[in-house]
Amino acid sequence: MGFKVVAEDALRQLERDLMAYGCAVEQLPAGELNSCGWRVRFQAPSGHHFELYADKEYTGKWGLNDVNPEAWPRDLKGMAAVRFDHALMYGDELPATYDLFTKVLGFYLADKVLDENGTRVAQFLSLSSEAHDVAFIHHPEKGRLHHVSFHLETWEDLLRAADLISMIDTSIDIGPARHGLTHGKTIYFFDPSGNRNEVFCGGDYNYPDHRPVTWTTDQLGKAIFYHDRILNYGFMTRLW
Amino acid sequence: MGFKVVAEDALRQLERDLMAYGCAVEQLPAGELNSCGWRVRFQAPSGHHFELYADKEYTGKWGLNDVNPEAWPRDLKGMAAVRFDHALMYGDELPATYDLFTKVLGFYLADKVLDENGTRVAQFLSLSSEAHDVAFIHHPEKGRLHHVSFHLETWEDLLRAADLISMIDTSIDIGPARHGLTHGKTIYFFDPSGNRNEVFCGGDYNYPDHRPVTWTTDQLGKAIFYHDRILNYGFMTRLW
Amino acid sequence: MGFKVVAEDALRQLERDLMAYGCAVEQLPAGELNSCGWRVRFQAPSGHHFELYADKEYTGKWGLNDVNPEAWPRDLKGMAAVRFDHALMYGDELPATYDLFTKVLGFYLADKVLDENGTRVAQFLSLSSEAHDVAFIHHPEKGRLHHVSFHLETWEDLLRAADLISMIDTSIDIGPARHGLTHGKTIYFFDPSGNRNEVFCGGDYNYPDHRPVTWTTDQLGKAIFYHDRILNYGFMTRLW
Amino acid sequence: MGFKVVAEDALRQLERDLMAYGCAVEQLPAGELNSCGWRVRFQAPSGHHFELYADKEYTGKWGLNDVNPEAWPRDLKGMAAVRFDHALMYGDELPATYDLFTKVLGFYLADKVLDENGTRVAQFLSLSSEAHDVAFIHHPEKGRLHHVSFHLETWEDLLRAADLISMIDTSIDIGPARHGLTHGKTIYFFDPSGNRNEVFCGGDYNYPDHRPVTWTTDQLGKAIFYHDRILNYGFMTRLW
């Protein structure tokens, strides 16, 4: 997973900060990815690799013109996702990963799940006013991926997305539904290559000085799927 | 299940028509039900009892004034159902039941399900431009009830209803979701006394000269639950 | 404006009923309109010509297949109107027109506007459970047209329609807004040839035994445009 | 207008930064406003006074519990605004005001309006991923207020808000409608004391490295009211 940073000097500063924090850092050259400048790669304690970059071809918001832009582009196809929203990672060492993301990268904790001993078993991190930009769930194996999520605008768009999934007989996992955590609205589905994807809309707004919201593991079903209030088999068993 | 008819003379005519058709008919006196005039009760070949009546206390649309009515009543609580929508019955003798409802009572066939032999195993009947006013699914036992359904206005209202169901930890069966049959949007849930209820919105418009829509039993999962495309255990096993 | 009737014998019966009622009736041959059978034309006392026909090429609901139809057609363009909804006529002789439509053609009165003398100056007629299928407003000249209206599914669809109108710089009259009469949601706009069109969704459900809803002319602004509560210049001045 | 800052030390730092930048700064004691800590007040070059504070009674998101919070509070009344959204100020010295907000306070420019000479006559500033947190329009008088805006969740909520405004016969200015600038959805209305308020939902997401969107004054009608494409009299004439 990669994050775009605001500018070249911020990228260099973050690289220094990561090294000072004790992270092994790797530089990847400009152009290795299409239309992308040089990147800094590092591994979080959870086992996941992340990348930072400052230069990226600018396509505009949803492809709209920068001057007098219409409400939306007329030639959208399919679900019409507005942007990448977040990813959910499974791995261990949540406290160390939390420290890295909050102390070095500027994230703050928006939502968390505590088990019966008060141990944080899930952490949802934001660096904007969005519900979350990346999330981690405790798992004994490092570096696993649960899903990536794309942003839709409305609950109507989620219905439309679910209809489209059915029209082409793509495998759906769950939804349309609401999450308890973040209160966002969701569909999980498996694309033809088998990856779990989410389309997501809504979700609580956050600011860095908000107290994190806590869900407790005895309410985990409701925390994940607010309406069904149980974790379904598909959600729990497939990781990458 | 009861149907209000337009006027007293229509009620008397329908009573004669039912008897002429060979239906046993029973009269129930005015006042036996609160604020309701006399009723005609008869049994359909499917085993279900239905009632007709012409007089009923008129409370107005959604309780709104008849003169210069505002958009909606301000003091609504809960799911804010607009009206009763339909009921789904399980029973046998679908062809005879179809004849009675179409030839005597003025319904027409809107949607149907055909099995691999071309036998009609489900029939959705309408007497308005609504998707359906009553529906029957073939079942070896007579006179069973699957659910009653209440009308909500929008897909947003369905989300709100699902949220309310979760807030009071009521048992949900499925939804928010779309039906293939009728294309309406739905939640099934069990009220505290254990009955299955539906809140429903949307659904195809129909007119009596429309050709009935056909779903085939090899697509029954999609016909019932368009997004999940499978019949869940709860839907199939509880009848009254 | 034309109405499709359920079958050939209904068309012949209605022709006889119109003549018995004293209406001059004209037959128009099959094929004069593409894919349309023979028609009965008559003039209402309001000065408008209406036509009835029984045969029309059947394209299916929204162009969907009759067997296992998906939720909606994937190749829709533009506003994606589901169907023709209604038309609003201006003319005189509202009582005689009401009699013709209710006594011969089977309509019933759903909404009306009364002036300070209790005279009905507008009548909204339905023959389904829709809010209205045709409407008349009193006007000293016979046979004028205010607008034709097309049905959209949701308030989200109305926003999308308003956006599309702006994207191609088409002249908008008013909306998105709600009507007081019918409580439906609306946009009026002028197409490039200058005609006023409406896209409409929602609206009260009706049945023939409902009491007509009354709006009074002292609340006419709110009756027509529930949010602005005034009649705008464009709405009042352009007729055809 | 006041902004809450993340913590006490940030407040002290911002106070120093404002003074270093040449702003006159005033300290207001804790408790002068209910449930609010000490504040820093300064005047922007546009003539408006702003305040910063770090301590404020924490009521939680929408009043929901911090632990296992339900989707929304059940006892909401009226329009159910989620939070304060932004305010629109009228005044002069836009460039100096822009410098102060971007160089000292951490805002970035999200949208702007340029006149035919390329002069910036409106600036919409954000410090989150929201469409805007404060906006300024050029006006010869200093320190005027156009409106304050409250956040609603959906386009459905805006319809509901417009209905409520009509039910109590409050003066509406415009809407429900879309803005071209920010693409947000809007209603302006005047409360009984005569102030212009907005309820707002949607709107483009922004990040600090996005290029500002430009609207040009020849398209100002569409920039402000995307559907009507003209500035109405009420919008242009009332300031505070």
Side-chain angles (χ1 to χ4, degrees), chain C residues 120-196:
Chain C
R120 194 168 65 229
V121 295
Q123 54 199 18
F124 291 68
L125 302 166
S126 179
L127 42 56
S128 63
S129 39
E130 299 298 318
H132 48 1
D133 291 302
V134 67
F136 297 89
I137 288 186
H138 175 76
H139 185 73
E141 288 173 284
K142 283 184 185 300
R144 307 299 297 274
L145 171 67
H146 187 271
H147 70 265
V148 294
S149 182
F150 300 90
H151 193 83
L152 298 187
E153 288 208 310
T154 68
W155 176 237
E156 293 271 341
D157 290 336
L158 277 188
L159 173 62
R160 209 177 154 278
D163 289 342
L164 284 166
I165 288 168
S166 286
M167 284 180 199
I168 60 167
D169 273 320
T170 292
S171 177
I172 201 166
D173 187 1
I174 197 164
R178 186 192 285 279
H179 290 302
L181 277 155
T182 78
H183 295 130
K185 299 140 206 172
T186 180
I187 299 169
Y188 289 125
F189 63 99
F190 298 101
D191 62 39
S193 58
N195 299 304
R196 185 189 289 102

Side-chain angles (χ1 to χ4, degrees), chain B residues 4 61 70 206 209 226, chain C residues 4 61 70 206 209 226:
Chain B
K4 184 178 180 308
K61 295 185 183 185
E70 302 292 356
N206 284 307
D209 59 337
Y226 188 68
Chain C
K4 184 177 180 309
K61 297 185 181 186
E70 301 293 353
N206 285 307
D209 59 338
Y226 188 70

Side-chain angles (χ1 to χ4, degrees), chain B residues 72 74-77 160, chain D residues 62 72-82 152 160-161 164:
Chain B
W72 33 268
R74 294 201 60 179
D75 55 354
L76 296 175
K77 302 285 182 198
R160 209 177 152 278
Chain D
W62 231 2
W72 32 269
R74 294 200 61 178
D75 56 353
L76 295 175
K77 302 286 182 197
M79 294 183 188
V82 178
L152 299 186
R160 209 176 153 279
L164 284 166

Side-chain angles (χ1 to χ4, degrees), chain D residues 162-182:
Chain D
D163 289 342
L164 284 166
I165 288 168
S166 286
M167 284 179 198
I168 60 169
D169 273 321
T170 292
S171 177
I172 201 167
D173 187 1
I174 197 162
R178 187 193 284 279
H179 290 302
L181 278 155
T182 77

Side-chain angles (χ1 to χ4, degrees), chain A residues 15-54:
Chain A
E15 186 183 31
R16 284 193 296 272
D17 292 347
L18 284 163
M19 289 189 291
Y21 189 77
C23 258
V25 161
E26 180 185 3
Q27 285 200 4
L28 299 162
E32 199 208 50
L33 288 180
N34 278 344
S35 314
C36 188
W38 70 278
R39 290 127 63 206
V40 171
R41 178 184 289 173
F42 63 95
Q43 190 174 21
S46 64
H48 301 91
H49 289 90
F50 293 93
E51 295 182 0
L52 308 177
Y53 56 90

Side-chain angles (χ1 to χ4, degrees), chain D residues 196-208:
Chain D
R196 186 188 289 103
N197 298 271
E198 182 182 37
V199 280
F200 178 89
C201 78
D204 297 323
Y205 74 100
N206 285 307
Y207 285 99

Side-chain angles (χ1 to χ4, degrees), chain D residues 37-55:
Chain D
W38 69 278
R39 291 126 64 207
V40 172
R41 178 184 289 173
F42 64 96
Q43 189 173 22
S46 64
H48 301 91
H49 290 90
F50 294 92
E51 295 182 0
L52 308 177
Y53 55 91
D55 288 318

